[in-house]
Amino acid sequence: MVTLPPELERWLALSWDAVVVHFHEIALKGGNRRPFTRALQFNLQRVLAPLSAGVQDCFDRLLVVPVSGAPTTAWLKETLSAAAQVFGVAYAAPVRILPRDMDALIAAAVETYRTVADAGATFAVQVRRVDKNFPLTSQQVERIIGEHIVAATRAPVDLKAPAVALRFRIYTDCAYLVGPKVPGVGGLPVGVTGRVLTLLSGGIDSAVAAWLIMRRGCVTDFLHFHAFPSADEVRTSKIVALVERLVKPQGVRARLLLVPYHAFQVALLMAKVPAALELVLFRRFMVKVACRIAQTRWYHALVTGDNLGQVASQTLENLRALDDAASVPVFRPLLTYDKAEIIALAQRIGTYDLSLLPYKDCCSLIARHPETRPKLDAVRGAEARLPVDALVERTLSELVVWQIG
Ligand code: ATP
Ligand code: MG
């Protein structure tokens, strides 16, 4: 999912001490900053544990270091790729930790230019003084280092569009030489904004919807209605694989809640409701079951992969009929997306291929031609012919919960 910058390969020929991770949006959060950095540190720590990495909180940044020894090229690449996928990360970059000493900065700059630059390549030195008490200004440091590079290599300076940017940051206790930045996925770390329950179908859309709501910092669990005689048959299906694909890169776990669809299906056959309303009634039933779970298990909202106008059941009238059955907010992160955008996102996050795997989907058991503009009264009237409350209870009594990740 993460493409590392092409110039990174050359830079990794140098020796590095750590990977620095800068936050996204978090810095803007003022007083809320600590919970945000703590969540990001925790999530990163879990993601990077298989790489034997420790994550240190350095107030305005996180520093990832190998538990023992110096970083290898393979460790740096894997750490950069994994860190860039974690929500809340603005960018990750390899760093060399130097003393706050001009000779050390100059030596590192000259060595770096010689290693990474083509003959005659332009360069610029970019210095950020995080410690404003450092005796030289950023511009003075840039000029002094720049002059030494020119003297040592005769390289031309280009401040606007250098082929090689030599970046330094000066802190109170050390300075960093910062390598190429790997852009992060952005958003907020999972865990900082609340708990939601995603209705996961196994199709393309709901997995992408879950990813988007997690990127806004929500912890999500997943509710799936299955069409099997027993939940065990879901164990080896794409549903479990999808949940893993969504939560593992964020360093979090999730519950997968499974309920059968058969009680409702049988009731639908007996009640003889208009075939064109079957789908909206089933979707209302899903919402009702999900809302009951939300109330007893403390979810703030439901999340679905609904989109406006993508299929016949996704008209405003149908969506309104769903919200009419809900007692907690229903969020639809994909409402305004084009299908092509959703597919591109699914491919980027690695759920697309899983979503295409064949599966016994409950919605496919229901009438193919749903009413596109159902009247709310007609929907409620048809629903009244079903023992909905008893069906909700019966379905909830068969709830199975698995921990994933
Ligand atoms: P998806 O690709 O997510 O299946 P879709 O475009 O196929 O979406 P529908 O099949 O109408 O649309 O489903 C709309 C939404 O209803 C889904 O995105 C999902 O949130 C929810 N949903 C559908 N089927 C199920 C199911 N079996 N279990 C849980 N949620 C479901
Ligand atoms: Mg579907």
PDB file of all heavy atoms in Angstrom, residues 227-254:
ATOM      1  N   ALA A 227     -25.611 -16.033   6.330  1.00  0.00           N
ATOM      2  CA  ALA A 227     -26.698 -16.888   5.839  1.00  0.00           C
ATOM      3  C   ALA A 227     -26.346 -18.370   5.991  1.00  0.00           C
ATOM      4  O   ALA A 227     -26.780 -19.198   5.204  1.00  0.00           O
ATOM      5  CB  ALA A 227     -26.959 -16.550   4.368  1.00  0.00           C
ATOM      6  N   PHE A 228     -25.535 -18.694   7.011  1.00  0.00           N
ATOM      7  CA  PHE A 228     -25.132 -20.083   7.235  1.00  0.00           C
ATOM      8  C   PHE A 228     -25.925 -20.694   8.392  1.00  0.00           C
ATOM      9  O   PHE A 228     -26.419 -19.974   9.258  1.00  0.00           O
ATOM     10  CB  PHE A 228     -23.645 -20.159   7.595  1.00  0.00           C
ATOM     11  CG  PHE A 228     -22.736 -19.639   6.526  1.00  0.00           C
ATOM     12  CD1 PHE A 228     -22.032 -18.450   6.721  1.00  0.00           C
ATOM     13  CD2 PHE A 228     -22.583 -20.308   5.329  1.00  0.00           C
ATOM     14  CE1 PHE A 228     -21.190 -17.959   5.739  1.00  0.00           C
ATOM     15  CE2 PHE A 228     -21.736 -19.822   4.332  1.00  0.00           C
ATOM     16  CZ  PHE A 228     -21.045 -18.641   4.542  1.00  0.00           C
ATOM     17  N   PRO A 229     -25.984 -22.025   8.448  1.00  0.00           N
ATOM     18  CA  PRO A 229     -26.635 -22.659   9.596  1.00  0.00           C
ATOM     19  C   PRO A 229     -25.892 -22.362  10.905  1.00  0.00           C
ATOM     20  O   PRO A 229     -26.502 -22.271  11.957  1.00  0.00           O
ATOM     21  CB  PRO A 229     -26.556 -24.157   9.282  1.00  0.00           C
ATOM     22  CG  PRO A 229     -26.239 -24.260   7.830  1.00  0.00           C
ATOM     23  CD  PRO A 229     -25.569 -22.995   7.418  1.00  0.00           C
ATOM     24  N   SER A 230     -24.570 -22.185  10.832  1.00  0.00           N
ATOM     25  CA  SER A 230     -23.832 -21.881  12.066  1.00  0.00           C
ATOM     26  C   SER A 230     -22.748 -20.842  11.789  1.00  0.00           C
ATOM     27  O   SER A 230     -22.166 -20.802  10.685  1.00  0.00           O
ATOM     28  CB  SER A 230     -23.222 -23.171  12.612  1.00  0.00           C
ATOM     29  OG  SER A 230     -21.844 -23.016  12.812  1.00  0.00           O
ATOM     30  N   ALA A 231     -22.471 -20.008  12.823  1.00  0.00           N
ATOM     31  CA  ALA A 231     -21.471 -18.946  12.666  1.00  0.00           C
ATOM     32  C   ALA A 231     -20.092 -19.521  12.349  1.00  0.00           C
ATOM     33  O   ALA A 231     -19.257 -18.847  11.741  1.00  0.00           O
ATOM     34  CB  ALA A 231     -21.416 -18.101  13.938  1.00  0.00           C
ATOM     35  N   ASP A 232     -19.847 -20.765  12.754  1.00  0.00           N
ATOM     36  CA  ASP A 232     -18.532 -21.351  12.520  1.00  0.00           C
ATOM     37  C   ASP A 232     -18.128 -21.330  11.054  1.00  0.00           C
ATOM     38  O   ASP A 232     -16.951 -21.292  10.728  1.00  0.00           O
ATOM     39  CB  ASP A 232     -18.494 -22.804  13.031  1.00  0.00           C
ATOM     40  CG  ASP A 232     -18.342 -22.825  14.532  1.00  0.00           C
ATOM     41  OD1 ASP A 232     -17.803 -21.825  15.071  1.00  0.00           O
ATOM     42  OD2 ASP A 232     -18.777 -23.805  15.164  1.00  0.00           O
ATOM     43  N   GLU A 233     -19.131 -21.346  10.186  1.00  0.00           N
ATOM     44  CA  GLU A 233     -18.799 -21.351   8.760  1.00  0.00           C
ATOM     45  C   GLU A 233     -18.243 -20.012   8.284  1.00  0.00           C
ATOM     46  O   GLU A 233     -17.717 -19.909   7.180  1.00  0.00           O
ATOM     47  CB  GLU A 233     -20.025 -21.761   7.942  1.00  0.00           C
ATOM     48  CG  GLU A 233     -20.313 -23.239   8.143  1.00  0.00           C
ATOM     49  CD  GLU A 233     -21.554 -23.708   7.422  1.00  0.00           C
ATOM     50  OE1 GLU A 233     -21.568 -23.646   6.189  1.00  0.00           O
ATOM     51  OE2 GLU A 233     -22.505 -24.120   8.113  1.00  0.00           O
ATOM     52  N   VAL A 234     -18.376 -18.991   9.132  1.00  0.00           N
ATOM     53  CA  VAL A 234     -17.791 -17.687   8.769  1.00  0.00           C
ATOM     54  C   VAL A 234     -16.289 -17.686   9.063  1.00  0.00           C
ATOM     55  O   VAL A 234     -15.529 -16.906   8.516  1.00  0.00           O
ATOM     56  CB  VAL A 234     -18.496 -16.550   9.543  1.00  0.00           C
ATOM     57  CG1 VAL A 234     -17.939 -15.182   9.168  1.00  0.00           C
ATOM     58  CG2 VAL A 234     -20.003 -16.579   9.298  1.00  0.00           C
ATOM     59  N   ARG A 235     -15.875 -18.609   9.939  1.00  0.00           N
ATOM     60  CA  ARG A 235     -14.493 -18.611  10.456  1.00  0.00           C
ATOM     61  C   ARG A 235     -13.441 -18.524   9.344  1.00  0.00           C
ATOM     62  O   ARG A 235     -12.483 -17.776   9.451  1.00  0.00           O
ATOM     63  CB  ARG A 235     -14.301 -19.892  11.285  1.00  0.00           C
ATOM     64  CG  ARG A 235     -12.955 -20.057  11.922  1.00  0.00           C
ATOM     65  CD  ARG A 235     -12.722 -19.178  13.122  1.00  0.00           C
ATOM     66  NE  ARG A 235     -13.458 -19.561  14.305  1.00  0.00           N
ATOM     67  CZ  ARG A 235     -13.406 -18.863  15.460  1.00  0.00           C
ATOM     68  NH1 ARG A 235     -12.658 -17.772  15.552  1.00  0.00           N
ATOM     69  NH2 ARG A 235     -14.091 -19.258  16.501  1.00  0.00           N
ATOM     70  N   THR A 236     -13.632 -19.312   8.294  1.00  0.00           N
ATOM     71  CA  THR A 236     -12.608 -19.346   7.243  1.00  0.00           C
ATOM     72  C   THR A 236     -12.976 -18.456   6.059  1.00  0.00           C
ATOM     73  O   THR A 236     -12.364 -18.530   5.010  1.00  0.00           O
ATOM     74  CB  THR A 236     -12.447 -20.791   6.726  1.00  0.00           C
ATOM     75  OG1 THR A 236     -13.771 -21.275   6.401  1.00  0.00           O
ATOM     76  CG2 THR A 236     -11.812 -21.689   7.767  1.00  0.00           C
ATOM     77  N   SER A 237     -13.967 -17.580   6.235  1.00  0.00           N
ATOM     78  CA  SER A 237     -14.444 -16.779   5.102  1.00  0.00           C
ATOM     79  C   SER A 237     -13.686 -15.467   4.985  1.00  0.00           C
ATOM     80  O   SER A 237     -12.880 -15.102   5.842  1.00  0.00           O
ATOM     81  CB  SER A 237     -15.922 -16.448   5.297  1.00  0.00           C
ATOM     82  OG  SER A 237     -16.030 -15.442   6.290  1.00  0.00           O
ATOM     83  N   LYS A 238     -14.019 -14.745   3.926  1.00  0.00           N
ATOM     84  CA  LYS A 238     -13.383 -13.450   3.704  1.00  0.00           C
ATOM     85  C   LYS A 238     -13.773 -12.431   4.763  1.00  0.00           C
ATOM     86  O   LYS A 238     -13.108 -11.414   4.905  1.00  0.00           O
ATOM     87  CB  LYS A 238     -13.749 -12.927   2.324  1.00  0.00           C
ATOM     88  CG  LYS A 238     -15.232 -12.627   2.144  1.00  0.00           C
ATOM     89  CD  LYS A 238     -15.461 -12.017   0.773  1.00  0.00           C
ATOM     90  CE  LYS A 238     -16.922 -11.814   0.491  1.00  0.00           C
ATOM     91  NZ  LYS A 238     -17.145 -11.189  -0.818  1.00  0.00           N
ATOM     92  N   ILE A 239     -14.840 -12.681   5.510  1.00  0.00           N
ATOM     93  CA  ILE A 239     -15.277 -11.702   6.518  1.00  0.00           C
ATOM     94  C   ILE A 239     -14.178 -11.521   7.576  1.00  0.00           C
ATOM     95  O   ILE A 239     -13.785 -10.393   7.894  1.00  0.00           O
ATOM     96  CB  ILE A 239     -16.594 -12.164   7.183  1.00  0.00           C
ATOM     97  CG1 ILE A 239     -17.704 -12.333   6.136  1.00  0.00           C
ATOM     98  CG2 ILE A 239     -17.015 -11.205   8.282  1.00  0.00           C
ATOM     99  CD1 ILE A 239     -18.090 -11.073   5.401  1.00  0.00           C
ATOM    100  N   VAL A 240     -13.660 -12.644   8.072  1.00  0.00           N
ATOM    101  CA  VAL A 240     -12.587 -12.567   9.066  1.00  0.00           C
ATOM    102  C   VAL A 240     -11.348 -11.922   8.435  1.00  0.00           C
ATOM    103  O   VAL A 240     -10.696 -11.060   9.032  1.00  0.00           O
ATOM    104  CB  VAL A 240     -12.257 -13.972   9.609  1.00  0.00           C
ATOM    105  CG1 VAL A 240     -11.044 -13.928  10.517  1.00  0.00           C
ATOM    106  CG2 VAL A 240     -13.467 -14.551  10.343  1.00  0.00           C
ATOM    107  N   ALA A 241     -11.038 -12.333   7.196  1.00  0.00           N
ATOM    108  CA  ALA A 241      -9.847 -11.793   6.520  1.00  0.00           C
ATOM    109  C   ALA A 241      -9.974 -10.278   6.322  1.00  0.00           C
ATOM    110  O   ALA A 241      -9.000  -9.536   6.476  1.00  0.00           O
ATOM    111  CB  ALA A 241      -9.658 -12.492   5.177  1.00  0.00           C
ATOM    112  N   LEU A 242     -11.178  -9.813   6.019  1.00  0.00           N
ATOM    113  CA  LEU A 242     -11.385  -8.368   5.816  1.00  0.00           C
ATOM    114  C   LEU A 242     -11.154  -7.593   7.119  1.00  0.00           C
ATOM    115  O   LEU A 242     -10.506  -6.542   7.124  1.00  0.00           O
ATOM    116  CB  LEU A 242     -12.810  -8.101   5.316  1.00  0.00           C
ATOM    117  CG  LEU A 242     -13.029  -8.239   3.813  1.00  0.00           C
ATOM    118  CD1 LEU A 242     -14.520  -8.225   3.493  1.00  0.00           C
ATOM    119  CD2 LEU A 242     -12.314  -7.126   3.038  1.00  0.00           C
ATOM    120  N   VAL A 243     -11.702  -8.139   8.207  1.00  0.00           N
ATOM    121  CA  VAL A 243     -11.525  -7.443   9.490  1.00  0.00           C
ATOM    122  C   VAL A 243     -10.032  -7.379   9.837  1.00  0.00           C
ATOM    123  O   VAL A 243      -9.510  -6.329  10.228  1.00  0.00           O
ATOM    124  CB  VAL A 243     -12.335  -8.129  10.607  1.00  0.00           C
ATOM    125  CG1 VAL A 243     -12.026  -7.504  11.957  1.00  0.00           C
ATOM    126  CG2 VAL A 243     -13.832  -8.036  10.315  1.00  0.00           C
ATOM    127  N   GLU A 244      -9.336  -8.486   9.634  1.00  0.00           N
ATOM    128  CA  GLU A 244      -7.890  -8.485   9.913  1.00  0.00           C
ATOM    129  C   GLU A 244      -7.168  -7.457   9.056  1.00  0.00           C
ATOM    130  O   GLU A 244      -6.325  -6.707   9.534  1.00  0.00           O
ATOM    131  CB  GLU A 244      -7.285  -9.864   9.632  1.00  0.00           C
ATOM    132  CG  GLU A 244      -7.505 -10.820  10.771  1.00  0.00           C
ATOM    133  CD  GLU A 244      -7.031 -12.234  10.455  1.00  0.00           C
ATOM    134  OE1 GLU A 244      -6.620 -12.504   9.303  1.00  0.00           O
ATOM    135  OE2 GLU A 244      -7.106 -13.065  11.375  1.00  0.00           O
ATOM    136  N   ARG A 245      -7.524  -7.409   7.787  1.00  0.00           N
ATOM    137  CA  ARG A 245      -6.868  -6.478   6.864  1.00  0.00           C
ATOM    138  C   ARG A 245      -7.094  -5.028   7.296  1.00  0.00           C
ATOM    139  O   ARG A 245      -6.260  -4.158   7.099  1.00  0.00           O
ATOM    140  CB  ARG A 245      -7.429  -6.725   5.451  1.00  0.00           C
ATOM    141  CG  ARG A 245      -6.732  -6.053   4.298  1.00  0.00           C
ATOM    142  CD  ARG A 245      -5.323  -6.538   4.056  1.00  0.00           C
ATOM    143  NE  ARG A 245      -5.155  -7.959   3.813  1.00  0.00           N
ATOM    144  CZ  ARG A 245      -5.210  -8.551   2.627  1.00  0.00           C
ATOM    145  NH1 ARG A 245      -5.460  -7.838   1.554  1.00  0.00           N
ATOM    146  NH2 ARG A 245      -5.015  -9.836   2.506  1.00  0.00           N
ATOM    147  N   LEU A 246      -8.231  -4.764   7.895  1.00  0.00           N
ATOM    148  CA  LEU A 246      -8.540  -3.388   8.321  1.00  0.00           C
ATOM    149  C   LEU A 246      -7.857  -3.015   9.634  1.00  0.00           C
ATOM    150  O   LEU A 246      -7.367  -1.900   9.782  1.00  0.00           O
ATOM    151  CB  LEU A 246     -10.064  -3.226   8.463  1.00  0.00           C
ATOM    152  CG  LEU A 246     -10.814  -3.177   7.133  1.00  0.00           C
ATOM    153  CD1 LEU A 246     -12.303  -3.417   7.343  1.00  0.00           C
ATOM    154  CD2 LEU A 246     -10.583  -1.834   6.438  1.00  0.00           C
ATOM    155  N   VAL A 247      -7.836  -3.941  10.587  1.00  0.00           N
ATOM    156  CA  VAL A 247      -7.381  -3.535  11.922  1.00  0.00           C
ATOM    157  C   VAL A 247      -5.878  -3.724  12.149  1.00  0.00           C
ATOM    158  O   VAL A 247      -5.260  -2.930  12.863  1.00  0.00           O
ATOM    159  CB  VAL A 247      -8.179  -4.212  13.070  1.00  0.00           C
ATOM    160  CG1 VAL A 247      -9.643  -3.858  12.976  1.00  0.00           C
ATOM    161  CG2 VAL A 247      -7.979  -5.711  13.112  1.00  0.00           C
ATOM    162  N   LYS A 248      -5.275  -4.725  11.518  1.00  0.00           N
ATOM    163  CA  LYS A 248      -3.865  -5.007  11.812  1.00  0.00           C
ATOM    164  C   LYS A 248      -2.939  -3.835  11.508  1.00  0.00           C
ATOM    165  O   LYS A 248      -2.087  -3.503  12.328  1.00  0.00           O
ATOM    166  CB  LYS A 248      -3.401  -6.255  11.057  1.00  0.00           C
ATOM    167  CG  LYS A 248      -3.698  -7.518  11.835  1.00  0.00           C
ATOM    168  CD  LYS A 248      -2.816  -8.661  11.387  1.00  0.00           C
ATOM    169  CE  LYS A 248      -3.068  -9.879  12.242  1.00  0.00           C
ATOM    170  NZ  LYS A 248      -2.734 -11.117  11.548  1.00  0.00           N
ATOM    171  N   PRO A 249      -3.083  -3.171  10.337  1.00  0.00           N
ATOM    172  CA  PRO A 249      -2.155  -2.060  10.058  1.00  0.00           C
ATOM    173  C   PRO A 249      -2.295  -0.901  11.041  1.00  0.00           C
ATOM    174  O   PRO A 249      -1.447  -0.028  11.091  1.00  0.00           O
ATOM    175  CB  PRO A 249      -2.555  -1.606   8.639  1.00  0.00           C
ATOM    176  CG  PRO A 249      -3.300  -2.749   8.059  1.00  0.00           C
ATOM    177  CD  PRO A 249      -3.978  -3.437   9.205  1.00  0.00           C
ATOM    178  N   GLN A 250      -3.371  -0.889  11.847  1.00  0.00           N
ATOM    179  CA  GLN A 250      -3.564   0.190  12.824  1.00  0.00           C
ATOM    180  C   GLN A 250      -3.134  -0.215  14.226  1.00  0.00           C
ATOM    181  O   GLN A 250      -3.234   0.584  15.160  1.00  0.00           O
ATOM    182  CB  GLN A 250      -5.039   0.628  12.841  1.00  0.00           C
ATOM    183  CG  GLN A 250      -5.526   1.107  11.497  1.00  0.00           C
ATOM    184  CD  GLN A 250      -4.588   2.158  10.896  1.00  0.00           C
ATOM    185  OE1 GLN A 250      -4.043   2.998  11.605  1.00  0.00           O
ATOM    186  NE2 GLN A 250      -4.398   2.115   9.586  1.00  0.00           N
ATOM    187  N   GLY A 251      -2.692  -1.450  14.387  1.00  0.00           N
ATOM    188  CA  GLY A 251      -2.238  -1.883  15.712  1.00  0.00           C
ATOM    189  C   GLY A 251      -3.372  -2.029  16.708  1.00  0.00           C
ATOM    190  O   GLY A 251      -3.149  -1.928  17.911  1.00  0.00           O
ATOM    191  N   VAL A 252      -4.594  -2.229  16.204  1.00  0.00           N
ATOM    192  CA  VAL A 252      -5.722  -2.376  17.128  1.00  0.00           C
ATOM    193  C   VAL A 252      -6.399  -3.731  16.902  1.00  0.00           C
ATOM    194  O   VAL A 252      -6.126  -4.413  15.917  1.00  0.00           O
ATOM    195  CB  VAL A 252      -6.765  -1.234  16.970  1.00  0.00           C
ATOM    196  CG1 VAL A 252      -6.135   0.099  17.347  1.00  0.00           C
ATOM    197  CG2 VAL A 252      -7.336  -1.193  15.566  1.00  0.00           C
ATOM    198  N   ARG A 253      -7.284  -4.069  17.834  1.00  0.00           N
ATOM    199  CA  ARG A 253      -8.057  -5.288  17.702  1.00  0.00           C
ATOM    200  C   ARG A 253      -9.505  -4.897  17.445  1.00  0.00           C
ATOM    201  O   ARG A 253      -9.872  -3.740  17.616  1.00  0.00           O
ATOM    202  CB  ARG A 253      -7.961  -6.104  18.975  1.00  0.00           C
ATOM    203  CG  ARG A 253      -6.537  -6.273  19.437  1.00  0.00           C
ATOM    204  CD  ARG A 253      -6.470  -6.924  20.790  1.00  0.00           C
ATOM    205  NE  ARG A 253      -6.669  -8.360  20.656  1.00  0.00           N
ATOM    206  CZ  ARG A 253      -6.829  -9.175  21.692  1.00  0.00           C
ATOM    207  NH1 ARG A 253      -6.833  -8.683  22.926  1.00  0.00           N
ATOM    208  NH2 ARG A 253      -7.002 -10.453  21.526  1.00  0.00           N
ATOM    209  N   ALA A 254     -10.304  -5.870  17.054  1.00  0.00           N
ATOM    210  CA  ALA A 254     -11.728  -5.579  16.860  1.00  0.00           C
ATOM    211  C   ALA A 254     -12.522  -6.822  17.206  1.00  0.00           C
ATOM    212  O   ALA A 254     -12.005  -7.938  17.143  1.00  0.00           O
ATOM    213  CB  ALA A 254     -12.003  -5.187  15.413  1.00  0.00           C
TER     214      ALA A 254
END
